[in-house]
Amino acid sequence: MKKIAIITELSLKSTNYGNNIQAYALNKFLRLKYPDYTVETILLKKGTGRKITSFIFYVKRIVRKVVLLTRKKKDETINLKKKSFNDFVAKYIITSHNDYTFKELKSSNYDFYIVGSDIVWIQSRGFVNKSKFLAFTPKLRNAKKIAYAASFGENNIPPENEKSIKKYLSKFNALSVREYESIKFLNKHGISGVQHVCDPVLLLTRDE
């Protein structure tokens, strides 16, 4: 039986409605479309696949994050909300049995790796998330790499990230984006053959 891995913005620590509903939609659609395939949304360990492209910007980001965390007040309602979100994931989204590290992604044996949708390619100064750009060589050498409705959020690539991103995207078998503007943006950066598709939520029926 062939296996499909989805890598997207899904975390059991998140309480983001948009993240969860698009993750559910693509997982559900692929299971309906390919009933003979195993479809799993991969859970990633926090920070896995992070490649530093500029040490100065990376350190600034870490410092800023620490400062914000120290100011954040504890709120019990957040824990209740997380439980509700995790119950939804457990009931409606088929996920991997464990949280993957980047090293484990390289030794995984899926036939198809699909990244998307959501802002999986959001940019930060100083580092690139290699996991979200499928920048690994899977165990199955003929495995396909696909981007479905991937988004940059804002069409911007910091100069220090550009070389790595162009290298990673050149290895994809198929590229599609959620925002039409991203096609011209990627073309400008030397990435061609990109298609515009709808968010996976729109692939489901009203009842689903």
Side-chain angles (χ1 to χ4, degrees), residues 117-133:
S117 63
D118 218 324
I119 51 172
V120 287
W121 292 341
I122 190 168
Q123 295 294 293
S124 297
R125 298 301 304 264
F127 74 92
V128 172
N129 189 321
K130 296 191 295 179
S131 300
K132 301 292 176 62
F133 283 95

Side-chain angles (χ1 to χ4, degrees), residues 7-40:
I7 294 178
T8 188
E9 293 296 308
L10 181 66
S11 168
L12 298 183
K13 295 181 180 180
S14 170
T15 55
N16 185 297
Y17 289 95
N19 289 165
N20 277 37
I21 198 65
Q22 63 82 25
Y24 159 74
L26 188 56
N27 188 287
K28 179 70 179 288
F29 177 79
L30 290 173
R31 284 188 281 123
L32 291 172
K33 186 75 172 176
Y34 304 103
D36 296 329
Y37 284 42
T38 296
V39 179
E40 293 181 345

Side-chain angles (χ1 to χ4, degrees), residues 4-8 40 42 44 48-50 102 105-106 108 110-116 120-121 128-138 143-148 150 164-165 167-176:
I4 300 174
I6 304 169
I7 294 178
T8 188
E40 293 181 345
I42 300 295
L44 297 172
T48 190
R50 188 169 289 179
F102 188 74
L105 284 175
K106 292 194 290 184
S108 60
Y110 293 90
D111 298 275
F112 299 90
Y113 293 85
I114 301 177
V115 60
V120 287
W121 292 341
V128 172
N129 189 321
K130 296 191 295 179
S131 300
K132 301 292 176 62
F133 283 95
L134 308 184
F136 52 87
T137 302
K144 307 298 182 186
K145 295 182 180 181
I146 300 165
Y148 182 81
S164 294
I165 290 173
K167 176 185 174 182
Y168 301 152
L169 293 184
S170 68
K171 306 294 184 182
F172 276 67
N173 298 95
L175 283 168
S176 67

